[in-house]
């Protein structure tokens, strides 16, 4: 464990340094408050600090206050060192954010024991942070495939739509559904079905960029978001994804299983004023057409898929001109 010691007195600093090394700590020494504050702001800063109260530049109390005012960094356990043992000072030190307080001259065994308390607290904190991160991951990811779950991918869609509206860009929205997946389960069993879903997930993810998102929208249905993808780019991208997913049979514990997928796609810029649920309905309508047309194919949302949006929006005039004319032609 790395520990920061901050003391402007070279003799105390050396003494501390020697003791801490003996107890197995890696020591980072600072000889002023400003140096100590810099060390605590560095990447990978020490999480245990022994700070002298009075130092040039910045005193130990000010460092405590600054450390506690930060919100993002890992917790730093701080022990203040001072020659002053008045109760009022102790209270001031703790209220500034110190975790513990040792008066000089300190007894080495007491210092050793108090450092161990610090290590226990840091352990506890690390465990809590890890548990919280695990819970956050579980709340937003699908257990089978580890991709974003339905709630999280819809949130991502809303975020991307907001951004696209602000920037005047477009989000490619894709719904991909495994064809006749029920037959896979019925033929090879549910566990092999699960393996197939994981493999399809992997293939879809491998085909998109790091800032695209793939989420599990339903049982064997995926919602894919492609920021910056307009109508012109959509068609090629959708076909690329379909081909990648179905290219070769999937190797499962029961042997190779061939599956196909159908995809419906839409570029959000086709209806910039539409809400996420309206865009999803139009994309789903395109997917439905791909299914009806024989599966293992892709369809891009067109006017007929968007009639439903025109009704939602109150009038067909809310749709782009190209789409309005195709509605009235029908
Ligand atoms: P279509 O081509 O029309 O999409 O037909 P389909 O059989 O794929 O669609 P359907 O909606 O009839 O069946 C989907 C099946 O997916 C039924 C359901 O049991 C299965 N399923 C949903 N979630 C899971 C899962 O997590 N694991 C497995 N193995 N199967 C799942
Ligand atoms: Mg299906
Ligand atoms: Mg389905």
């Amino acid at each position: 464990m790395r520990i920061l010691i901050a003391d402007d007195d070279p003799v105390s600093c050396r003494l501390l340094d020697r003791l801490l090394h003996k107890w197995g700590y890696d020591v980072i020494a600072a000889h002023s408050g400003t140096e100590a504050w810099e060390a605590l702001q560095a990447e990978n800063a020490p999480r245990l600090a022994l700070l002298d109260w009075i130092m040039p530049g910045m005193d130990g109390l000010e460092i405590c206050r600054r450390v506690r005012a930060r919100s993002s960094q890992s917790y730093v356990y701080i022990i203040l060192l001072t020659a002053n043992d008045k109760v009022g000072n102790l209270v001031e030190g703790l209220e500034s954010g110190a975790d513990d307080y040792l008066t000089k001259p300190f007894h080495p065994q007491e210092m050793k024991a108090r450092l161990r308390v610090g290590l226990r607290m840091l352990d506890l904190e690390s465990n809590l942070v890890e548990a919280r991160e695990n819970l956050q991951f579980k709340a937003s990811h699908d257990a089978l495939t580890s991709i974003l779950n339905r709630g999280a991918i819809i949130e991502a869609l809303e975020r991307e739509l907001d951004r696209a509206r602000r920037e005047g860009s477009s989000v490619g929205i894709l719904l991909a559904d495994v064809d006749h997946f029920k037959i896979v389960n019925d033929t090879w069993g549910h566990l092999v079905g699960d393996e197939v879903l994981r493999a399809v997930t992997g293939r879809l993810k491998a085909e998109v960029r790091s800032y695209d998102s793939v989420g599990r929208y339903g049982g064997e249905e995926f919602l894919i978001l492609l920021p910056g993808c307009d109508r012109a780019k959509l068609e090629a991208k959708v076909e690329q994804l379909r081909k990648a997913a179905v290219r070769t049979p999937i190797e499962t514990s029961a042997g190779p299983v061939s599956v196909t997928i159908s995809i419906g796609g839409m570029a959000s810029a086709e209806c910039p004023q539409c809400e996420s649920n309206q865009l999803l309905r139009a994309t789903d309508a395109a997917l439905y057409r791909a299914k009806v047309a024989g599966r293992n194919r892709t369809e891009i949302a067109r006017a007929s898929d968007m009639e439903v949006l025109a009704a939602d929006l109150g009038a067909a005039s809310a749709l782009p001109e190209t789409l309005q004319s195709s509605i009235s032609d029908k």
Side-chain angles (χ1 to χ4, degrees):
M1 168 64 87
R2 282 175 319 126
I3 184 165
L4 171 71
I5 53 175
D7 199 327
D8 55 318
D9 174 30
V11 179
S12 330
C13 214
R14 251 198 320 276
L15 171 78
L16 270 174
D17 187 86
R18 221 174 300 137
L19 269 178
L20 291 164
H21 266 121
K22 200 170 84 185
W23 297 332
Y25 292 93
D26 287 331
V27 177
I28 295 168
H31 304 283
S32 70
T34 21
E35 234 182 89
W37 174 233
E38 266 166 34
L40 288 169
Q41 283 173 291
E43 213 179 308
N44 232 332
R47 299 188 55 207
L48 195 53
L50 271 174
L51 305 180
D52 195 16
W53 184 308
I54 297 161
M55 285 183 289
M58 196 184 297
D59 65 17
L61 291 194
E62 179 57 22
I63 298 177
C64 287
R65 279 188 217 105
R66 289 187 181 204
V67 167
R68 297 303 174 232
R70 309 186 296 194
S71 52
S72 54
Q73 280 98 336
S74 307
Y75 194 82
V76 182
Y77 190 90
I78 303 174
I79 303 179
L80 268 182
L81 288 176
T82 176
N84 196 333
D85 62 355
K86 293 211 178 71
V87 171
N89 288 94
L90 187 147
V91 169
E92 194 187 353
L94 296 176
E95 285 194 340
S96 301
D99 295 286
D100 202 358
Y101 187 102
L102 264 174
T103 47
K104 298 198 257 191
F106 55 84
H107 193 292
Q109 288 312 310
E110 184 179 351
M111 162 79 82
K112 194 176 180 188
R114 288 184 185 275
L115 286 171
R116 273 209 227 101
V117 173
L119 292 181
R120 275 210 302 276
M121 292 300 163
L122 290 176
D123 254 2
L124 206 61
E125 201 253 353
S126 301
N127 290 343
L128 281 174
V129 168
E130 200 184 314
R132 190 182 60 200
E133 281 168 0
N134 282 342
L135 280 176
Q136 276 168 351
F137 187 87
K138 280 189 183 149
S140 54
H141 289 75
D142 169 58
L144 178 71
T145 57
S146 296
I147 55 175
L148 294 177
N149 62 21
R150 184 185 171 94
I153 190 72
I154 291 174
E155 266 177 35
L157 170 62
E158 272 152 19
R159 260 196 321 275
E160 290 303 339
L161 289 175
D162 276 346
R163 196 212 308 255
R165 279 184 209 113
R166 272 199 314 275
E167 295 174 356
S169 62
S170 179
V171 186
I173 304 169
L174 278 60
L175 280 171
D177 187 288
V178 183
D179 296 326
H180 295 307
F181 189 63
K182 202 172 166 314
I183 296 175
V184 174
N185 278 336
D186 291 348
T187 312
W188 287 281
H190 208 271
L191 290 179
V192 171
D194 285 354
E195 290 177 43
V196 169
L197 284 180
R198 276 197 289 263
V200 170
T201 304
R203 290 178 177 192
L204 292 175
K205 277 186 71 179
E207 221 52 40
V208 300
R209 304 155 302 178
S210 58
Y211 43 91
D212 297 329
S213 313
V214 180
R216 195 162 175 208
Y217 189 64
E220 25 72 88
E221 194 163 348
F222 301 88
L223 173 56
I224 301 158
L225 309 176
L226 311 173
C229 179
D230 56 18
R231 178 74 173 76
K233 292 183 197 144
L234 190 63
E235 218 149 308
K237 192 71 201 179
V238 171
E239 257 310 290
Q240 178 196 335
L241 277 157
R242 184 192 63 78
K243 285 192 183 129
V246 309
R247 194 168 288 136
T248 53
I250 291 167
E251 290 305 326
T252 71
S253 52
V257 175
S258 292
V259 290
T260 59
I261 64 169
S262 299
I263 308 180
M266 172 160 189
S268 70
E270 295 279 300
C271 186
Q273 69 274 46
C274 282
E275 300 289 338
S276 57
N277 59 340
Q278 296 170 316
L279 294 167
L280 284 170
R281 277 164 64 194
T283 311
D284 197 38
L287 169 62
Y288 181 74
R289 281 193 295 105
K291 292 281 183 183
V292 171
R295 296 174 171 77
N296 192 21
R297 60 178 63 223
T298 57
E299 288 287 342
I300 305 298
R302 58 186 188 215
S304 56
D305 302 318
M306 292 202 232
E307 274 179 331
V308 58
L309 301 185
D312 278 359
L313 294 168
S317 61
L319 287 176
E321 257 171 47
T322 46
L323 295 171
Q324 279 178 48
S325 54
S326 45
I327 289 178
S328 49
D329 289 350
K330 269 185 57 198

